[in-house]
Amino acid sequence: MLEMKGIDKSFDGKVVLSSVSLGLAAGEFFSILGPSGCGKSTLLRILAGFDHPDRGEVYLSGASVTKTPPHARPVNMVFQRYALFPHMDVAENVAFSLRIRKVARAERLRLVDEALALVAMDGFGRRRIDTLSGGEQQRVALARALINRPKVLLLDEPLSALDLKIRVRMQAELRSLQRRLGMTFVFVTHDQSEALTMSDRIAVMNRGRVEQVGTPQDVYERPDTAFVASFLGAMNRLRGQFVGPVAGKSTHGWVDLGAGTRFMARLPRLQQNLPIGREVQVQVRPEKVQLARVRQQEPASSAQDVHLNEFSCTLSDIFYRGATVDMSGVFQAQSSVVTATLLNADRGATSLGVGDSVRFGFAADDAWILNSEESHEA
Amino acid sequence: MKHKGGGLALPLALWLGAFLVLPVAFVAIYSLLKRGAYGEVIWTLSLHNYARAMDALYLGIFSKSLMLAALTTCVCMIIGFPLAYTIATASKTWRSLLLAGLMVPFLTNFVVRVYAIRVILGVEGPINHALMASGLLTEPLMMTDSLFAVAVGMVTNYLPFMTLPIYVVLEAFDFSLLEAAADLGARGWTILFKVILPLSRQGLVSGATLVFIPVLGEYMIPDLLGGARTMLLGNLITEQFLKARDWPFGAAVAMILILAMLGSFAVQRALAGKGATLAQA
């Protein structure tokens, strides 16, 4: 539906985007996630037509729109600071594009009412923009962009200016609006939890490149690169040396962590040619690290597949967070700190104190091996 | 006193009283008196001077002054707006340079500046030289000592007063509004008339006031560039006080000028205060 092919862009010799290629399906909620300065906003501006790529093409429904000016693209944008016209009231803002297209008055009024109803702003038509709250302005900006039923709606960090409570509500509303309209949304954000909650697919960008494209589960649970792994949430990193792939199972490998400890973890797609002996990291999310039970009571069928890495720790910190408890322990084999996020409901968790010795464990499938040299970049 | 800190306004009130209200009151009183045979003032109250000001000769001078002020304001706006826009959208370095370029002429002496225009427009000036050299003219154009020269002088002198208020508005302008307008299907001129100009109105109105009012009363520029044939309001007043020695009539014309200025100021207030309603159509 929307396709970007080999897009390069630099400003004053500084490379902002390099060979970005992405394809979006119709009706998809697609997020572009990355830190500030990663090029995600520039990419969005190229889709809107405000900036032009140095190389590469943008296709919309099969036709190139690379050189189409913004006013002629069947694409609309919701701006970060909304960019509502302060000299017009709500209805005039929403009707702006209809006036330009010289839509008849009766039809215009009907469409404006419809658009305002869509964003639950009925009856706000005659209000001045400066009398609206941030959330209300956000809705007006949405209605103004949606009134032409664009093929693609571009959203440039539209929720970042809202406070937390309204932001969470708008996330849900945006998502349901997108489902109801069946419209393709391209959503730019630097907030990983926002991207995970809302998207069908996420493209994670770093330094002008797309590092990984996939479903929220893909990028969170199976990151291709160290950057993706660290950008999408908290992470434990354990240093070690790559021993080699697991016999008969090339998707997994062994890592030697010293003091006779060996862990098994997945080898991501991009890491499968790791030389033996290379300095690597075993990465595992804190919520995947759990207290190891004295006796594992796994069902016999899965026990064959699930390899559990277990190790001893001395608890150094306990952070009570309400629903969960974060426990940090010093990993005795290499005196690095490992954090486990345990559910408050976990009986074993609440009885422990700092200084206690515990055994943590995580499944081999929940951890992955990344080249240490690459990890430094992140 | 109702307002807190009212005492702090006392110096200002004294200043305005001594140097604005009192002199204007004097002028108002003088305008009702009569000139004696030898230029002295005769103390009999009448509206005689105002009736005399309604003479076709003086009405002509009023309308010529008003038209020149309006023309100067328009030309300043047509040049000043793009200029302010260019400065406001320029890179930081260019912005300072352009602003300096706009202001530096102001640091030179007023009379020198006006004489410079005399030289530039003069028979032996660079414009005539260039036109003659290019073969477009065989005889030099007589551009000085004319209403045209006065208009050029007014525009060059008052351009910054138009440009700076517009620049101030545009400098704080949210240029993402232009992208939003383009995104919604608007093109160049539509964006200018539907978004940029309505949102610059405060600057345009202040600029227009800052140009129109002083130009209406300006007497140095017409005096130096207009020659003997160009009589405007400002010169008329100076003439009555200094040459004709008819202070009461001069005072009456001055009162009319003050009223005209107050009138245009009221228009400005009305336009600027109108808020967002102008955009509704």
Side-chain angles (χ1 to χ4, degrees), chain B:
Chain B
M1 276 220 175
K2 255 187 178 177
H3 299 286
K4 276 187 188 172
L8 293 176
L10 193 65
L12 181 67
L14 285 175
W15 176 273
L16 287 177
F19 298 108
L20 184 74
V21 179
L22 262 174
V24 171
F26 281 141
V27 174
I29 292 166
Y30 261 89
S31 74
L32 299 172
L33 304 179
K34 251 186 169 173
R35 178 191 191 265
Y38 304 102
E40 77 278 20
V41 171
I42 300 171
W43 285 83
T44 45
L45 294 179
S46 78
L47 287 171
H48 160 85
N49 290 314
Y50 288 95
R52 190 180 151 205
M54 294 302 120
D55 186 284
L57 172 70
Y58 300 117
L59 285 181
I61 293 176
F62 290 151
S63 66
K64 206 199 289 178
S65 297
L66 280 171
M67 261 154 41
L68 184 72
L71 177 80
T72 306
T73 309
C74 286
V75 174
C76 279
M77 207 176 266
I78 291 167
I79 302 174
F81 187 84
L83 186 59
Y85 192 90
T86 311
I87 299 174
T89 52
S91 70
K92 263 204 176 128
T93 334
W94 273 107
R95 193 183 300 185
S96 334
L97 281 173
L98 288 168
L99 275 176
L102 188 67
M103 297 309 296
V104 160
F106 250 80
L107 304 177
T108 48
N109 181 283
F110 173 74
V111 179
V112 171
R113 249 183 300 141
V114 178
Y115 264 106
I117 292 167
R118 237 190 124 77
V119 171
I120 290 167
L121 295 178
V123 175
E124 292 289 311
I127 294 180
N128 268 320
H129 266 291
L131 287 172
M132 302 262 286
S134 69
L136 284 167
L137 290 177
T138 46
E139 270 179 45
L141 270 177
M142 299 291 283
M143 287 181 287
T144 49
D145 294 338
S146 67
L147 207 53
F148 170 75
V150 177
V152 170
M154 298 282 202
V155 169
T156 51
N157 201 57
Y158 285 97
L159 187 61
F161 291 98
M162 176 65 79
T163 312
L164 289 177
I166 301 175
Y167 165 75
V168 168
V169 169
L170 289 179
E171 210 241 335
F173 191 79
D174 177 7
F175 284 93
S176 71
L177 293 177
L178 307 189
E179 292 184 340
D183 187 59
L184 294 164
R187 300 192 200 195
W189 290 106
T190 317
I191 295 177
L192 179 66
F193 284 109
K194 294 222 166 189
V195 180
I196 305 177
L197 285 179
L199 286 172
S200 315
R201 202 184 50 244
Q202 300 275 3
L204 289 166
V205 171
S206 324
T209 316
L210 288 178
V211 173
F212 186 82
I213 289 179
V215 166
L216 199 56
E218 178 64 54
Y219 72 96
M220 281 291 276
I221 295 174
D223 208 42
L224 293 172
L225 293 175
R229 284 164 299 162
T230 316
M231 178 69 79
L232 293 170
L233 259 180
N235 314 76
L236 178 64
I237 296 169
T238 333
E239 200 113 308
Q240 293 309 313
F241 276 97
L242 301 183
K243 291 184 189 158
R245 296 188 53 77
D246 191 345
W247 284 34
F249 183 60
V253 178
M255 283 311 290
I256 292 170
L257 180 60
I258 290 171
L259 288 176
M261 286 172 174
L262 285 176
S264 51
F265 193 64
V267 170
Q268 182 239 336
R269 291 292 294 260
L271 280 177
K274 246 178 143 185
T277 47
L278 207 75
Q280 293 175 347

Side-chain angles (χ1 to χ4, degrees), chain A residues 160-188:
Chain A
S160 60
L162 302 177
D163 55 44
L164 184 66
K165 222 171 176 178
I166 301 171
R167 191 158 73 219
V168 171
R169 203 173 71 208
M170 281 306 290
Q171 285 176 3
E173 284 190 28
L174 264 181
R175 184 74 239 235
S176 84
L177 187 68
Q178 185 265 341
R179 289 240 173 88
R180 263 184 291 151
L181 297 172
M183 198 180 276
T184 312
F185 277 30
V186 181
F187 185 90
V188 160

Side-chain angles (χ1 to χ4, degrees), chain A residues 333-363:
Chain A
Q334 50 176 245
S335 68
S336 58
V337 174
V338 177
T339 301
T341 300
L342 307 175
L343 285 177
N344 197 346
D346 187 337
R347 288 278 174 77
T350 43
S351 59
L352 291 168
V354 171
D356 286 355
S357 184
V358 294
R359 268 187 90 67
F360 282 148
F362 58 89

